[in-house]
Structures are given as C-alpha cells and as structure tokens.
Amino acid sequence: MKYFKSDNTAAVSREILQAIDRANSGVALAYGADRWSESLDRAFGDFFGKEVRVFAVASGTAANALALATFCPPWGTVLTHAEAHIERDECGAPEFFTGGAKLSLVGGAGAKISPADLTARLAWFEPHVHGVQPRMLSLTQATERGAIYTPQETGALAKIAHEHGMAVHVDGARFANALVAQDVDAADLTWKAGVDVLSFGVIKNGGMNAEAVVFFDPTRVADFEFRRKRAGQLLCKGRYAAVQLLAYLESGMWKRNAERANGLAKRVAAAAPQWLSEPSATNQVFMKLGRERIAALSKEFGFYPWGPAGSGEARFVCSWDTPDEDVDALCAALGKLK
Amino acid sequence: MKYFKSDNTAAVSREILQAIDRANSGVALAYGADRWSESLDRAFGDFFGKEVRVFAVASGTAANALALATFCPPWGTVLTHAEAHIERDECGAPEFFTGGAKLSLVGGAGAKISPADLTARLAWFEPHVHGVQPRMLSLTQATERGAIYTPQETGALAKIAHEHGMAVHVDGARFANALVAQDVDAADLTWKAGVDVLSFGVIKNGGMNAEAVVFFDPTRVADFEFRRKRAGQLLCKGRYAAVQLLAYLESGMWKRNAERANGLAKRVAAAAPQWLSEPSATNQVFMKLGRERIAALSKEFGFYPWGPAGSGEARFVCSWDTPDEDVDALCAALGKLK
Amino acid sequence: MKYFKSDNTAAVSREILQAIDRANSGVALAYGADRWSESLDRAFGDFFGKEVRVFAVASGTAANALALATFCPPWGTVLTHAEAHIERDECGAPEFFTGGAKLSLVGGAGAKISPADLTARLAWFEPHVHGVQPRMLSLTQATERGAIYTPQETGALAKIAHEHGMAVHVDGARFANALVAQDVDAADLTWKAGVDVLSFGVIKNGGMNAEAVVFFDPTRVADFEFRRKRAGQLLCKGRYAAVQLLAYLESGMWKRNAERANGLAKRVAAAAPQWLSEPSATNQVFMKLGRERIAALSKEFGFYPWGPAGSGEARFVCSWDTPDEDVDALCAALGKLK
Amino acid sequence: MKYFKSDNTAAVSREILQAIDRANSGVALAYGADRWSESLDRAFGDFFGKEVRVFAVASGTAANALALATFCPPWGTVLTHAEAHIERDECGAPEFFTGGAKLSLVGGAGAKISPADLTARLAWFEPHVHGVQPRMLSLTQATERGAIYTPQETGALAKIAHEHGMAVHVDGARFANALVAQDVDAADLTWKAGVDVLSFGVIKNGGMNAEAVVFFDPTRVADFEFRRKRAGQLLCKGRYAAVQLLAYLESGMWKRNAERANGLAKRVAAAAPQWLSEPSATNQVFMKLGRERIAALSKEFGFYPWGPAGSGEARFVCSWDTPDEDVDALCAALGKLK
C-alpha cells in the first residue's frame, strides 16, 4: 500500500534524531530549565526578526488549545472556519482548555475565511452578558483544504479582529508549507500582518513530538506557563523537545521538507487537473473523484475520503518523505482513471 | 412606554404569590426536603400521565444547562438550531455546565430544525476520537421565532436522534404557549414523541423565579442532583420554588396565561400581516419593518430589533399580563405604518 | 418535632413578602435592568459607607463560588478553613465555578483561621508553575462553629493575604449574626479590615431566595457579570431578587432577625453550659452530648449531629422565627440531661 | 556542579534511542494506529500477567490526571496523601482534567497513607449532595518521600477504597524503583492487590517523553480515549511513544536502571545515617541537615531543600545515570559534615 493519508504518517528527519542524540549526555535541568529550552526565545526571535516568547508542547492540539486559552476567557468565543482543525479534529480541546469557550464558525471556499464573512459573523454578537463575546480569530495556515492566506489577506482579517478587541491566532500545523508556497518572509506572514500567537507546526514536517507556540508580544503571555503545566504539557525532560524545535529552524529542514512535500503534491495535482476540487497550493490535493474511482484507487493507495459521508471527494497528502515512486504510481493511476 | 420586549418583563401571577404566602408558615426542611418539593414528582407525573422526576432550579438557563450536562459528556456535542437560546442567549452556559461540550448548529426557517437538515449535519460526525460525538438534540418549543413543533415533527426528529445514540432535550421556556397553540396533550408533545428531558418554563408565563427540569425516564437522572447542588441551583428554602411549580400546574394558570398571551400576539400579527417575517403561532410576532418604521414605532413602544445588526426586523412579545390597551395601541400604530 | 436543624428551615420575613408584593405590578425590564436592581449599588453603598458594586444571586453557594471565581484563576488556590462551607457543603461549587482551582485547608479551633496557621500554610507554596498559587483567602463570618472574627482579627488575616497577592473573601451566610454579636459597624468588619468581596447572606436570616455579592472596590468586578449569566444566576425577573435585598437592609430586619436568633441561641447555651463544645457567639450552639443523650433528645427535637461520624457532638441552630416555646422546651430538656 | 536534584535531569537510555531509530523508517499510521502502539496491550499484559489496556501519554502529570478523570466525576473527590505529586506538583492538573473534582488529603509519615488515617478521613464524607463524594484513592509508589507500599499494604488500602465505592489509582512515576526495592512481582503490587489503574512511569527511569497508563480491567476504560485526545495527549506520531514503552519493558532496562538508582541512593544514605529524616527505600534520600549544612553542600552539589520553607531538610535523588564519582563525592562530603 502506498500512503497519502497524512503527513503525520511520515518518519522523523535525520536532523531531528541527530539533535536528540547530541543532547543526550549528562544532566540537564528538568521542566525547561535546560540550556536548549532557554535558547528557544532567541532562536525563534532570529527566525521571525522580533523578540518573541516560545514554548514547546507535545502536540498540535495542545499548541492550539493552549494558545486559545491564553487569550479567550470562558465566556468568550473563537471565530474560526467551519472546517478548521480546532473545530473538527481535536475532540473539543479548545473548549476543554478554555474552560468552556465557544467556537463560532465562518464558512468560505478552500476552508478560508474572507473579510466579508468574518464581518457578517461578527454582526451577530452584541456587547452584553447574554451572549458570548468574540475574543479571538483563529486562522489555519495552510488551511484544511490546502489553501494559503497571503500576508495581505492575513492583515485584512487581523485588522477586523483587532478592531473588535480580538486576538489573532494562527494554527500553523503546516505553516512551513504555507511559507514556501508563497515565498514570503515569516515575519510578513505573522506579526507584521497582525498575528498575535502562532502554533508553529514541526511534527507533520519531519519532527517527532514537539510543536512550538510562539507569542509575538513577549508581554502578552499571561498565564500560559501555568496552563501548560496544568495540562501535562510541560515536558519533564524538556531538552528533547527543545532540540527538535532548534534543529527544525537551524538546519533549514523546515524549508527543505516543506518544499519537497509541496513539490510532490504539485505533481499529483497536475496528473489529473480535471478532478481537482481545490486549487492545490501546498502539500494537500483534493479531488472530486466520485465513489467508484475512490474505490478503485483504494486498492493500491491509502488516502482519506473527505467532507461529509458520501461526498465523493478524496484527499491526498504528500509528506517530506513520501517516496518518489509512490508519487509516480499515484500520478499514473490518476491519469488512467476515466 | 408600552412594552413588548419580553415575557420576562411581566409581573408574577396572583396564584404564585398566594401559594408562596400559604407556604410561608413554620419550619420546612431545607434543600428540597420539604413536603412541597417532595410532591413535585407526583404533580408533574399527573400532568404528563407518566412517572417522572422533576427538579426545581432558579432560571431557564440553569434548567437547560443542567439538563444538557446530564446527558452530554465533555467530549460530546449538542445539535441545536443556530438561533437557539442555548446558543445565543446563555453566555456559554451549556459549555460551562457540561465541562466544555460543543453546540453544533443546524439552520432552518422559523428557528426550526428539519429532519433533513438534522441528518445532513449528523453526516459530518464520525465515530472516532478526533471529533466530538453527537450526544444530544436540543429543540426549542416554541422556537425563538415563535414557531412550534407538532408531536409528529418532534417524533420524527427524536427518532433520528435516538438512532444516533443521542438524547432529546426540549427547551420549553415557552412550552405552555406551544401546548395551547396546537391544543395537544402534554404527553403527546413530550415523552410520547421521544423527548427525554424538558426544561419546563414557568417564569415567562407568570412565575417568579422557578423553572422545572422534567426527566421522563426516572431511571436516567444520572448525577443531576450533584450537578444542581454544585451549580448553586439547589435552593436553600426549597418550598418557595416548589410551590411556584405546583401552583403553575394545579391552578391551571399555565393554560390561562399562555392562551391570553398567544391571543394578544394573534391580534398584533393580524394588524399588519403584510410585514410578518414569520407566521405567528405563539406569543411572539416578527415583522420585517425596516429601519425607519422601527425608529418611528420606538418612540411609543418598547421592543427589540431582531437578527444581525441592521436586518430591519423587529420582535414583539406579548405576555400574560400585557394590557389590552397596549395591544390596541400597537395594532393601531402598525396599521398606520406605510 | 421542634426544629433546630438549620436557619434555612425558617420561613420568610413579612417585610420580604411585602416588598415582593409592592414590586409586583406592571412591566419591569428583565435581567436586572429594573429600577430595584439598579438601586442596589446605592443601597449597599449607604450601608457600608463606601461606593460598592452589588449583585443578586439565588443561593449562598452561588454567591461564594462566583465571588471566588472572580479573583482566583484555574491554577490558583483558595486558602480556607477545613470546616468551611465552601469546602464541605457545596459539592465542589468553587472548583466548578473557578474552572478547577483548589481549596487549600487550614485548621483552627472554632472553625477560625489564625494568622500563625495561615502563615504556616502559605509556607508550602512556591512561586513556580509546578504548584497552584495562593490567590484568595476565604473567611467565614460567623464561622461554621458559630465563632466570629473581630475587625482586628479580620484585618490581621487580610494583611497577610494582601502581602501574598491574595484577595480576601468573606462567606457571610450569617454575616448579620456576626455583626450584631459584636456590635460593630459593617464597614469595620469588611472593607476597612481589608475584605475585597463579601457574600452577604439574606436567606438564612429571613430572606426567600436572594443573596448579595458585594465588591468593595467597584473597579475590580472583572468578569463577574459574564460568569453570573453563564451560571444561570442572572435572574430573569430581577426585581423579585432585588427587592429582597433592599428590604433586608432598609427595613432593619437584618438586625432584628439576627438579634432574635442570637438571643435564642444564648438561652440554649446557658441551659447546659457544661456540654458546650464551642463558646456560643451567634445563633449556633455546639454541644458534646455523646451518642445516648443525642438519641434521647432526638425524639422530641430535630437537630444535626456534627463532626465526623460518631463524634457525639450536636449542633442546634436558632433562626429568626424559632418559636420561644420550642426554645423553652429545648432548654428544659437539656437541663434534665445527665 | 554534581546533580542530585531529580531523576528527570537524567539522560535517555541507549535502549530507548535505539528503539526510536529502528522505528524511524517508512510510513506508520498516525494517532496510535501503528503496529507498535497496537502491541502495547499485549506487551504490558505479558508483564502484568493479565489482560490490560495501555495508553501512552507525554508526561506523568497527564498520566495521573487522565487516569483520575476516568474514574472520578466532577462532583467526586480523590483521597490522596498531602504530599502527593498530584496535590503539590501538578499545578492543579487533576482538578483541570476531572472538571473540578477535589483532592482530599490524608497525612502520614513517609508520605504514606495508613488504613487508619484513610478510614478516619472517609468518616467526614456523607452520602448526600451537599458534599463531594469519595470516588478514588490515589497512592504514590514509591512515595514522594521514597517509601514503598508492600502488596499487603496496598491490598489493605484498596479493600477500604473498594468497600466505599472508590477506584484505586497508583501514581507510579517511580514504580520500577518500588518494584525492585522489594523484589515483588508487578502483578502482586498492582491488580492482585486491588489497583485499578496505574500511571507507569518510564521517563524518570531512562525514558524520553512517554509514560503508560495501565487499566487492569479492560472493560473499565470508559471515555479515556476521548479525554486523551481532547487533552492533546494522543500523540500524532504514536510510534515514537509506543517504542519507548515497549523497549522499557522488553529490554529489561526498567529493572537495570531502577536497581542502579536505588543502589546509589543506598550508598548516599549509608554515608550519613545520622541525618536521615526518612528510611531510604528507593532512589531518594531525605536528610535533616539544617540550613548551614545545606548551604555548605550547595556549593558543590545541586539538590533541593524539602518541605515548607525553612525546614532544613534536603532531598538527594539518584538516577539511572548518576555518575559513580558524583556519588562518591557526595558520600565523602556528607561524611565530613558536622
């Protein structure tokens, strides 16, 4: 079976394992008091060209939920796309971590939020105690349908959010893929566009089990560290998480891996453009194949049907280590479908 | 100013005050161990023609949230209409009481859920740990737009819910108005149609500060009583809540008051049928008047604009004690609008 | 049976019912926008000689839990006595409302906390993310064993609390009894002594179903109003709660009722001083009677055994409306015990 | 500086890194659907001689909190020692994960709970809605003061717990140390003694970032998997956690590492038996050295003062990889103290 199910099925990049090996010697203070953890702020600060605060956690779900809980009170709501990972794939983690805040959903093609739709959704809220109050906007970059927000698009949405007193979160589980897809600077796609906090994904793009939460205003971290500890996300041997985040940036693997994954996806998309249900911008390809073609492909390839049951859509994900020959085979098979 | 803002602005029926006075003598054990509280099960059992368990709480929000928390785990979701009170007017109480469960929204005219829309929404959920699991359906009877579900409609929705392992809740803040509007039996509109738990509203229809939560299967009350205590909703001097609920049923005021309120609304609707944005079934009237007519009417009448900001819609609510002359004046004013 | 179980078994004072009757006419805006609710700040401000913010809720448990949740974050802890109501009698309401904060217990005779014990307990906490952080001190006035804190004692404890960055809460379910017991000014026993927020009990002392939460610094109410709504404690027809609180202060019944209850308890205590297990300062009397005397008295009198199972201690509570002849009978029975 | 601060400061055993390397090839399904994760139940079943269900999580705090949340409802309480990790070192994680349950504390020398103290504490609870209900007993094995429970002691406590309807949890962050300290069978120290769920620690004893939660009754896992996902503890690339747990058992490193750590601690304890404040059974040594000796030792050795501020007690922890020469140096320094 050749797998295009998820970039989470990929192995870990050699750079990560080597960094772990190098750190595996002697004593290092626990719970993030080691020298690797203590250098995270600087390393990510260099990457983003700005003083930041950075914290490691064990999963993307934890990164998102803790970031949201830092800015959204229990009586608040997070505006996000109806197909966002935080809404559909985290079993209510944001609600758990925030103490019962709401997610308020916005539609939009490509799992992208438009300024008009955001403004329309906001019109439903009133500043009184009867309803929850919009306190965060959460964007997914790249989106759950592989699309990207440009710096300009991000900035337009962030402007609306800030005007309404909301903080802006980006779920960047595939942030590297979004960066290389549009060849922009990390700063332009984040804090310069108004992003307040970023879940900077590492795992899907070659990491093992560490993600970064990046706060772009070092004075607005609030009680994040208490919440992280309380969630069992302050890792005992912090060095093994920190070195993953450091290697990710410093080896350049964030870029190499994302470029390869995006490139493979481009080939898949080009193999059967007539079926594409989304323009393919990053490392995911969506095709409206119908039930029978999906069944036929499923004999040789592992991938997920997408959308509500019976929609006839399929998702193919390329990862940093998807074998070239698997992509060749998929392209060939897609080309032969009729 | 003549008020059509809400049935919560009404006074308390004489029957309620008299019942409180009669109970106000000597010792009664606290926290629901008094004889009035202890007779609630029987009184509501008679009303519904079935053995039930009934609990008093201090507000409709508490009734709804505690009912939902009894059946919906933190990792569950409650399917409900996008305009439901539990979604829009309770500041996240369901999320708070359930420990962070989700509300998953369904659309539909008249703030009513249709079987087709419910089924379509359910198709998005999958039985795995990544997403929350649908565990409850919550209907509003009468709906937030004054519409009603018939026993047949309720039964069709409950059947779908039960087939998906969900319990069925009815937010009956205006349940009496829904009952008299269609002249059906309380049993037919609840347990015979598959309703598992009902927030039986008293306050809006002449009560003071007690609502009933009615469980139609006495064996499925789970930990409701612990949750009620923990929420500060087990009232210290329980007799003063219990007698309100008893008087509500036994004096027949539930019916008299609802009939009067519905009747007044019918007159308002008839005064300007051309503006109606909803058919008026109970004690609420919705009209698409536009911004200018709303401004004109607002000089003499108190009422709420409805829908998102700028929609030009208005809601008029008649209550059990709205003066006839206020209705006369509103009808006249509506008739003169052009 | 003559009852000395609880002051919650008492009826409601005539002044309260009359105030309700007077308010029961015509329209009043819902959810606290009525003129009675809007005058609460002023009335309580007059009482305490200071600008305050005051909110009505439906139970003492709700008053305490909401007050604590306003100042104590989920990762905080509330220092309180091991026998406090919030620890032993509210089924975890503080933990629920705070989103999982802790209560950290302090011992002490008479259910009173001493400065030395408070300081010793605080020595266990360290300012790091591994442990919860002390953020509130909650005192009970009068205590669960009928004792009182003087203004000086309150001030000494509040000073320690404030030096540790903690806010000071007083659970005043029997605050009126504590006031009249020592004939001090309400200001001296609260904000002048450093109290930040008071649950001002009304129900046990002649009220029906409304308690007041009083914030002594109007600028530090934080998100109380959102939390109250979300807890189902913002009452729909707010006037019926507000008038109870107003009548309580303005009629002087808070004083009359507390004086009578305290006086009756003094008689009970004097009837068998040899059994007293606590000095009786307010309206509760504790006696170490042993199992057999308890059994004998239980035939004629309703009261609770106290302490852990088998302790042989009993509690007698006098309320504002305990009949004189019931007290006579209890005194006589106690006098005859051997 | 020679470190005796914590076994969390240790590096990762070679066996763990090798297992990770071996698994790092090709595709493995995400979120625990890989073959390593799927073999956990069998491997731990072999180890314990019983069918079990086993789940990997990223930290000991998460293991404990998720285990407790599975059996303890929000209105329940967990009885545990006042010095337990779940009480003092997890920033309220149990309260967070359970939705606000309480921890009710029991004293006892060596941070051990005795049957008599447990029974006395239980006598405070009553089966009514006013107080939280005891639903779990959580023991720490080895305790926070290095002591161990024998199978008989565990059994006696578990019997009391079960008679009161409570489930039994063991926080086994140092479970391997407790096993080798008394040379008993893992089965005897767990399910045969009545333990229902075990947090089986790996990290402190040579692991990297995976702990196991072991349920001894496969039918009583309840909603653990939903809660784990929702807490961000279902690891994306599950194989890297699973292979740590497998290597831990199958390589025998659990035993080798614990034996070495315990042996080193024995040497430290023997170097200055006169200062011992606890008998040293496992890999922790507690000494009442006083402030000045602590200051003197602190120049060369890293270790934590213990107990409340100013207690003059110190804790020395030996880990699986503490260098022999560091132990030599500490023993020599202790021997020279006067």
Side-chain angles (χ1 to χ4, degrees):
Chain A
M1 187 69 78
K2 300 170 185 72
Y3 279 99
F4 295 86
K5 287 202 160 182
S6 166
D7 22 21
N8 274 327
T9 64
V12 171
S13 275
R14 188 50 47 189
E15 294 91 335
I16 295 282
L17 290 180
Q18 286 166 346
I20 287 174
D21 267 342
R22 275 196 306 272
N24 193 46
S25 160
V27 158
L29 289 187
Y31 296 114
D34 62 273
R35 66 180 172 86
W36 297 275
S37 299
E38 288 180 341
S39 69
L40 287 172
D41 287 354
R42 188 200 43 72
F44 280 77
D46 289 350
F47 186 78
F48 285 104
K50 185 181 192 314
E51 194 189 350
V52 299
R53 292 296 309 279
V54 182
F55 303 96
V57 297
S59 71
T61 293
N64 290 336
L66 283 167
L68 298 177
T70 302
F71 290 111
C72 189
W75 42 269
T77 186
V78 178
L79 274 79
T80 198
H81 195 280
E83 296 179 46
H85 203 267
I86 58 171
E87 164 67 12
R88 296 193 32 80
D89 300 294
E90 302 187 352
C91 200
E95 289 86 349
F96 175 43
F97 281 71
T98 55
K102 230 181 235 303
L103 304 191
S104 295
L105 307 180
V106 185
K112 276 182 72 174
I113 295 175
S114 73
D117 286 345
L118 176 59
T119 300
R121 189 69 182 84
L122 282 167
W124 276 93
F125 297 96
E126 291 175 80
H128 57 207
V129 300
H130 299 280
V132 293
Q133 300 298 305
R135 297 300 284 254
M136 290 201 88
L137 170 66
S138 178
L139 306 174
T140 310
Q141 177 78 297
T143 77
E144 295 299 316
R145 285 188 161 274
I148 52 176
Y149 291 95
T150 64
Q152 293 70 30
E153 289 170 332
T154 305
L157 292 165
K159 186 162 177 288
I160 297 169
H162 290 157
E163 284 167 0
H164 284 78
M166 302 158 75
V168 178
H169 168 250
V170 166
D171 173 0
R174 296 186 181 97
F175 186 68
N177 301 283
L179 270 181
V180 305
Q182 51 190 314
D183 196 23
V184 294
D185 194 75
D188 291 329
L189 205 52
T190 54
W191 62 275
K192 286 188 179 171
V195 175
D196 296 299
V197 60
L198 168 69
S199 300
F200 194 161
V202 172
I203 298 172
K204 285 187 163 82
N205 194 34
M208 186 190 291
N209 47 24
E211 307 271 275
V213 182
V214 184
F215 288 88
F216 292 104
D217 180 345
T219 67
R220 289 176 68 211
V221 172
D223 55 5
F224 181 89
E225 291 181 88
F226 286 107
R227 291 184 182 273
R228 178 175 61 159
K229 170 64 193 174
R230 176 176 178 74
Q233 292 284 347
L234 175 61
L235 298 164
C236 317
K237 296 182 172 175
R239 56 175 140 175
Y240 300 99
V243 296
Q244 294 183 53
L245 305 190
L246 295 172
Y248 188 65
L249 293 190
E250 293 171 355
S251 73
M253 66 170 267
W254 69 269
K255 196 170 184 203
R256 277 194 307 281
N257 283 355
E259 283 173 346
R260 180 162 193 276
N262 285 10
L264 296 178
K266 201 157 292 196
R267 289 180 49 208
V268 174
Q274 71 277 27
W275 310 118
L276 284 178
S277 49
E278 299 284 349
S280 173
T282 50
N283 68 320
Q284 302 188 80
V285 182
F286 294 84
M287 292 185 171
K288 201 97 181 184
L289 294 173
R291 214 152 45 92
E292 283 168 36
R293 289 185 202 90
I294 286 177
L297 279 177
S298 296
K299 288 172 194 146
E300 194 182 352
F301 302 95
F303 58 93
Y304 286 114
W306 211 246
S311 70
E313 197 173 4
R315 183 187 76 159
F316 303 92
V317 186
C318 296
S319 72
W320 74 275
D321 73 346
T322 302
D324 278 310
E325 49 275 27
D326 287 9
V327 174
D328 294 342
L330 177 60
C331 290
L334 283 168
K336 274 184 280 186
L337 284 180
K338 48 196 166 191
Chain B
M1 188 69 79
K2 300 172 183 72
Y3 278 99
F4 295 85
K5 285 202 161 182
S6 165
D7 22 21
N8 274 328
T9 62
V12 171
S13 275
R14 187 51 45 189
E15 295 90 337
I16 295 282
L17 289 180
Q18 286 166 346
I20 287 175
D21 266 340
R22 275 196 304 272
N24 193 45
S25 160
V27 158
L29 289 187
Y31 295 116
D34 61 274
R35 66 183 172 85
W36 298 276
S37 298
E38 289 180 341
S39 70
L40 287 172
D41 287 354
R42 186 199 45 70
F44 280 78
D46 288 351
F47 185 79
F48 285 104
K50 185 180 190 317
E51 193 189 349
V52 299
R53 292 297 309 280
V54 181
F55 303 96
V57 296
S59 71
T61 293
N64 289 336
L66 284 167
L68 298 177
T70 304
F71 289 111
C72 189
W75 42 269
T77 187
V78 178
L79 275 79
T80 198
H81 195 279
E83 297 179 46
H85 203 266
I86 58 171
E87 165 66 13
R88 296 192 32 78
D89 299 294
E90 301 187 352
C91 200
E95 289 86 349
F96 174 43
F97 281 71
T98 55
K102 232 181 234 304
L103 303 192
S104 295
L105 307 181
V106 185
K112 277 181 73 174
I113 296 175
S114 74
D117 287 345
L118 177 59
T119 301
R121 190 68 184 84
L122 282 167
W124 275 94
F125 296 97
E126 291 176 79
H128 57 207
V129 300
H130 298 281
V132 293
Q133 301 297 305
R135 297 301 285 256
M136 288 201 91
L137 170 66
S138 177
L139 306 175
T140 310
Q141 178 76 299
T143 77
E144 294 298 316
R145 286 188 160 275
I148 52 176
Y149 292 95
T150 64
Q152 292 70 30
E153 289 170 332
T154 304
L157 292 165
K159 186 161 177 287
I160 296 169
H162 290 157
E163 284 166 1
H164 285 78
M166 302 157 76
V168 178
H169 167 250
V170 166
D171 173 359
R174 296 188 181 96
F175 187 68
N177 301 283
L179 270 181
V180 305
Q182 51 189 314
D183 195 23
V184 294
D185 194 75
D188 290 328
L189 204 53
T190 54
W191 63 274
K192 287 189 178 169
V195 175
D196 296 300
V197 60
L198 168 69
S199 300
F200 193 160
V202 172
I203 298 171
K204 285 187 164 82
N205 194 34
M208 185 191 291
N209 48 24
E211 304 271 276
V213 182
V214 184
F215 289 88
F216 292 104
D217 180 343
T219 67
R220 290 177 66 213
V221 172
D223 55 7
F224 181 90
E225 291 180 88
F226 286 108
R227 291 185 183 273
R228 178 175 58 159
K229 170 65 195 174
R230 176 177 178 72
Q233 292 284 347
L234 175 61
L235 298 165
C236 316
K237 297 183 172 174
R239 55 176 140 173
Y240 300 98
V243 296
Q244 294 182 53
L245 306 189
L246 296 173
Y248 190 63
L249 294 190
E250 294 172 354
S251 73
M253 66 170 267
W254 69 269
K255 196 169 184 206
R256 274 194 307 280
N257 283 355
E259 281 173 347
R260 180 161 193 278
N262 286 10
L264 296 177
K266 201 157 294 194
R267 290 180 49 207
V268 174
Q274 73 276 27
W275 309 118
L276 284 178
S277 49
E278 299 283 349
S280 174
T282 49
N283 66 320
Q284 302 188 81
V285 181
F286 295 83
M287 292 185 172
K288 201 97 181 185
L289 295 172
R291 214 153 43 94
E292 284 168 35
R293 287 184 203 92
I294 286 178
L297 279 177
S298 295
K299 287 171 196 149
E300 194 183 352
F301 302 95
F303 57 93
Y304 286 114
W306 211 246
S311 69
E313 198 175 3
R315 183 187 76 159
F316 304 92
V317 187
C318 296
S319 72
W320 74 274
D321 72 347
T322 303
D324 277 309
E325 49 275 28
D326 287 9
V327 174
D328 294 341
L330 178 60
C331 291
L334 284 168
K336 276 184 277 186
L337 285 180
K338 46 195 168 195
Chain C
M1 189 69 80
K2 299 170 185 71
Y3 279 99
F4 294 85
K5 286 202 160 181
S6 165
D7 22 21
N8 274 328
T9 62
V12 170
S13 276
R14 187 52 45 189
E15 294 91 337
I16 296 283
L17 290 180
Q18 285 166 345
I20 287 175
D21 266 342
R22 276 196 304 272
N24 193 47
S25 161
V27 157
L29 288 187
Y31 296 115
D34 61 274
R35 66 181 173 89
W36 298 276
S37 299
E38 289 180 341
S39 70
L40 286 173
D41 288 355
R42 186 199 45 71
F44 280 77
D46 288 349
F47 185 78
F48 284 104
K50 185 182 190 315
E51 193 189 349
V52 299
R53 293 294 311 278
V54 181
F55 303 96
V57 297
S59 71
T61 293
N64 289 335
L66 283 167
L68 298 177
T70 303
F71 290 110
C72 189
W75 42 269
T77 187
V78 178
L79 274 80
T80 198
H81 195 279
E83 297 178 46
H85 203 267
I86 58 172
E87 164 67 12
R88 297 193 32 80
D89 299 294
E90 301 187 353
C91 200
E95 290 86 349
F96 175 42
F97 281 71
T98 56
K102 231 182 234 302
L103 303 192
S104 295
L105 307 182
V106 185
K112 276 182 73 174
I113 295 177
S114 72
D117 287 346
L118 176 59
T119 301
R121 189 70 184 83
L122 282 167
W124 276 94
F125 297 97
E126 292 175 79
H128 57 208
V129 300
H130 299 280
V132 292
Q133 300 297 305
R135 296 300 284 257
M136 288 200 92
L137 170 66
S138 178
L139 306 175
T140 311
Q141 178 76 300
T143 77
E144 294 299 315
R145 286 187 160 274
I148 52 175
Y149 292 95
T150 64
Q152 292 71 29
E153 288 171 331
T154 304
L157 293 164
K159 186 162 177 288
I160 297 170
H162 290 157
E163 283 167 1
H164 285 77
M166 303 157 76
V168 179
H169 168 249
V170 166
D171 173 359
R174 296 186 181 97
F175 187 67
N177 301 283
L179 269 181
V180 305
Q182 51 189 314
D183 196 22
V184 295
D185 193 75
D188 291 327
L189 204 53
T190 55
W191 63 275
K192 286 189 178 169
V195 174
D196 296 299
V197 61
L198 167 70
S199 300
F200 195 160
V202 172
I203 298 173
K204 285 187 163 81
N205 195 34
M208 186 191 290
N209 48 24
E211 306 271 276
V213 183
V214 184
F215 289 88
F216 292 104
D217 180 345
T219 67
R220 290 176 66 213
V221 172
D223 55 6
F224 181 89
E225 291 180 88
F226 286 107
R227 291 185 183 272
R228 178 174 60 159
K229 171 64 194 174
R230 176 177 177 74
Q233 292 284 346
L234 176 61
L235 298 165
C236 317
K237 295 182 172 175
R239 55 175 141 175
Y240 300 99
V243 296
Q244 295 183 52
L245 305 189
L246 295 173
Y248 189 64
L249 294 189
E250 295 171 354
S251 72
M253 66 169 267
W254 69 270
K255 195 168 185 206
R256 276 194 308 280
N257 283 355
E259 282 173 345
R260 179 161 194 276
N262 285 10
L264 296 177
K266 201 157 293 193
R267 288 180 50 205
V268 173
Q274 72 277 26
W275 309 118
L276 285 177
S277 49
E278 299 283 349
S280 175
T282 49
N283 66 321
Q284 303 188 78
V285 182
F286 294 84
M287 292 185 171
K288 201 99 181 184
L289 295 173
R291 213 153 44 93
E292 283 169 35
R293 287 186 203 90
I294 287 177
L297 279 178
S298 296
K299 286 171 194 146
E300 194 182 351
F301 302 95
F303 58 92
Y304 285 115
W306 211 247
S311 69
E313 198 175 3
R315 183 187 75 159
F316 304 91
V317 187
C318 296
S319 72
W320 73 275
D321 72 347
T322 302
D324 278 310
E325 49 274 27
D326 287 9
V327 175
D328 294 341
L330 178 59
C331 290
L334 283 168
K336 274 183 279 187
L337 284 180
K338 48 196 168 193
Chain D
M1 189 68 79
K2 300 170 184 74
Y3 278 98
F4 294 86
K5 286 202 161 182
S6 165
D7 22 20
N8 274 329
T9 62
V12 171
S13 275
R14 189 49 47 190
E15 294 92 335
I16 295 282
L17 289 180
Q18 286 167 346
I20 287 175
D21 266 342
R22 276 196 305 272
N24 193 46
S25 161
V27 159
L29 289 187
Y31 296 114
D34 62 274
R35 66 182 172 85
W36 297 276
S37 298
E38 289 180 340
S39 70
L40 286 172
D41 287 354
R42 186 200 44 71
F44 280 77
D46 289 351
F47 185 78
F48 284 104
K50 184 179 190 318
E51 193 189 351
V52 299
R53 293 295 308 280
V54 181
F55 304 95
V57 297
S59 71
T61 293
N64 289 336
L66 284 167
L68 298 178
T70 304
F71 290 111
C72 189
W75 42 270
T77 186
V78 178
L79 274 79
T80 197
H81 195 280
E83 297 179 45
H85 203 268
I86 57 171
E87 165 65 13
R88 295 192 33 79
D89 300 294
E90 301 186 351
C91 201
E95 289 86 349
F96 175 42
F97 281 71
T98 55
K102 230 182 235 302
L103 303 192
S104 295
L105 307 181
V106 185
K112 276 181 72 173
I113 294 175
S114 73
D117 286 345
L118 177 59
T119 301
R121 190 70 183 83
L122 283 167
W124 276 93
F125 296 98
E126 292 175 79
H128 57 208
V129 299
H130 299 279
V132 293
Q133 300 297 306
R135 296 300 284 255
M136 290 201 89
L137 170 66
S138 178
L139 306 174
T140 311
Q141 178 77 297
T143 76
E144 294 299 315
R145 286 188 161 273
I148 52 176
Y149 291 94
T150 64
Q152 293 70 29
E153 289 171 332
T154 305
L157 292 165
K159 186 162 177 289
I160 296 169
H162 290 156
E163 284 167 0
H164 285 77
M166 302 157 76
V168 178
H169 168 249
V170 166
D171 173 359
R174 297 187 180 97
F175 186 68
N177 301 284
L179 269 181
V180 305
Q182 52 189 314
D183 197 22
V184 294
D185 195 75
D188 291 327
L189 205 52
T190 53
W191 62 275
K192 287 189 178 169
V195 175
D196 296 298
V197 60
L198 169 69
S199 300
F200 194 160
V202 172
I203 297 172
K204 285 188 164 81
N205 195 34
M208 184 190 292
N209 47 24
E211 306 271 277
V213 182
V214 184
F215 288 88
F216 292 105
D217 180 344
T219 67
R220 291 176 66 212
V221 172
D223 55 6
F224 181 89
E225 291 181 88
F226 286 106
R227 290 184 182 272
R228 178 175 59 159
K229 171 65 194 174
R230 176 176 178 73
Q233 292 284 347
L234 175 62
L235 299 164
C236 317
K237 296 182 172 176
R239 56 175 140 174
Y240 300 99
V243 296
Q244 294 183 52
L245 305 189
L246 296 172
Y248 189 64
L249 293 189
E250 294 172 354
S251 73
M253 65 169 267
W254 69 270
K255 195 168 185 205
R256 276 194 308 280
N257 283 357
E259 282 173 346
R260 180 162 192 277
N262 285 9
L264 296 177
K266 200 157 292 192
R267 287 180 50 207
V268 174
Q274 72 278 26
W275 309 117
L276 285 178
S277 48
E278 298 283 349
S280 174
T282 51
N283 67 322
Q284 301 189 79
V285 181
F286 294 83
M287 292 184 172
K288 200 98 182 185
L289 294 172
R291 213 152 46 93
E292 284 169 35
R293 289 186 201 90
I294 286 177
L297 279 177
S298 295
K299 288 172 193 147
E300 195 182 352
F301 303 95
F303 58 93
Y304 285 114
W306 212 246
S311 70
E313 198 175 3
R315 184 187 75 159
F316 304 92
V317 186
C318 297
S319 73
W320 74 274
D321 72 348
T322 302
D324 278 311
E325 49 276 27
D326 287 9
V327 174
D328 294 342
L330 178 59
C331 290
L334 283 170
K336 274 185 279 187
L337 285 181
K338 48 196 167 195

